Amino acid sequence: MKLTFITLLFALLFTCCMFSQKDKTIKLLDANLTHFNTHIGVPHSTVVGLPEGTFQSDNVRKGTPLGINNDIKNVFTTTNINGETTLNISGEIYGCITTKANYSNYHFSTMFRWGNKKWEPRLDRRKDSGILYHSYGDYGRFWNTWKTCLEFQVQETDLGDFISLNGNTTSPKVAGPSVVIRGNDKDGTKQYNPNSDTYFEGKGYIHAYLEPQNPHGSWNLLELYVIENNAVHVVNGKIVMVVENAIDPETNTPLTEGQIQIQSEAAECYYKNMTITPITEFPEFIRKQVKFKS
């Protein structure tokens, strides 16, 4: 049976539609971390095995960082198990991998779990990492390590909390992005609450609405949905934080795009299945549950 031109055209269009969304998804992790640059901060004075003359300090927020693509202690490495690339973060020195590209209007997704090691200066504190998004400016703006950005907090018992990172090591210092959060700002504790009728300015540390974390050592699904200058943090399928109306204070314009940084912050941890997919609107489950500011 001969296929008509119209039949062939419809078949081609169907095939293109079927694969178009899949083809847009970018797998961010590969063996050589080709989608990222690395920036390593100031080594703590307890770090061993560094070249002679390397600056080290008890205060890792100040001093001379190791800098861009100079990961001489292999803070960030990868392993491949059954064809799956895992990002291994030793945590020994503060630092980050940073996407080479800027992203806007996307769904970022990754699996995450903790390792066992901790390092100075956080030996007596909870394990910590973070997904920094809408990042901009020079490396090292915050604590000589990270760019100015919005943070999806990744900390023990605090997955999905929010922080706006400023430029406290620039001269002069610059403010972090301004945002608004629906919820409660009482007794020094700021927390997102989807049922609140009030908003507060998202300065300082903002606690998530829920803490749906899996037991230590288990994998957690962390997702970030961004449309324009609004963002939704999702942990293991639960909406835990909504960040609205992000503004870049240096230009007084909506903060709608930027790089993504993955932190090393004195704790061993692992990421895998890290992808980013373009979207044009928030998915239905977010539109049904989230009441955005009009």
Side-chain angles (χ1 to χ4, degrees), residues 69-139:
N69 297 329
N70 189 29
D71 188 6
I72 55 180
K73 286 291 289 181
N74 293 319
V75 174
F76 298 95
T77 59
T78 62
T79 53
N80 188 297
I81 301 175
N82 298 324
E84 181 178 69
T85 300
T86 298
L87 172 65
N88 314 304
I89 302 178
S90 75
E92 188 173 9
I93 308 173
Y94 282 13
C96 61
I97 56 171
T98 304
T99 58
K100 296 174 182 177
N102 286 349
Y103 296 101
S104 62
N105 297 337
Y106 59 83
H107 170 216
F108 173 91
S109 176
T110 188
M111 299 297 293
F112 168 85
R113 73 175 177 87
W114 296 112
N116 295 315
K117 293 181 181 178
K118 294 198 293 185
W119 310 87
E120 292 287 7
R122 295 183 59 91
L123 272 178
D124 299 323
R125 301 178 65 183
R126 287 175 289 175
K127 295 185 179 73
D128 200 0
S129 180
I131 300 164
L132 313 182
Y133 60 101
H134 282 1
S135 305
Y136 61 92
D138 294 331
Y139 287 99

Side-chain angles (χ1 to χ4, degrees), residues 143-158:
W143 292 357
N144 275 318
T145 305
W146 303 296
K147 293 177 177 244
T148 307
C149 60
L150 308 176
E151 178 170 0
F152 181 124
Q153 171 70 302
V154 180
Q155 181 174 257
E156 285 182 305
T157 72
D158 289 321

Side-chain angles (χ1 to χ4, degrees), residues 243-257:
V243 179
E244 299 186 60
N245 196 34
I247 300 294
D248 177 351
E250 296 170 59
T251 61
N252 198 33
T253 58
L255 181 58
T256 61
E257 67 173 14

Side-chain angles (χ1 to χ4, degrees), residues 214-229:
N214 292 327
H216 184 275
S218 301
W219 289 100
N220 294 274
L221 175 60
L222 309 181
E223 297 176 277
L224 171 65
Y225 291 87
V226 175
I227 291 292
E228 298 299 334
N229 60 342

Side-chain angles (χ1 to χ4, degrees), residues 184-249:
N184 307 313
D185 180 6
K186 298 178 180 179
D187 304 322
T189 299
K190 299 179 179 181
Q191 185 173 28
Y192 166 65
N193 183 346
N195 301 313
S196 175
D197 292 326
T198 62
Y199 277 84
F200 60 89
E201 188 175 1
K203 287 186 176 180
Y205 194 99
I206 317 299
H207 293 272
Y209 176 62
L210 302 170
E211 301 290 351
Q213 300 180 54
N214 292 327
H216 184 275
S218 301
W219 289 100
N220 294 274
L221 175 60
L222 309 181
E223 297 176 277
L224 171 65
Y225 291 87
V226 175
I227 291 292
E228 298 299 334
N229 60 342
N230 297 325
V232 179
H233 300 186
V234 181
V235 176
N236 292 323
K238 303 291 186 181
I239 297 172
V240 301
M241 175 68 64
V242 177
V243 179
E244 299 186 60
N245 196 34
I247 300 294
D248 177 351

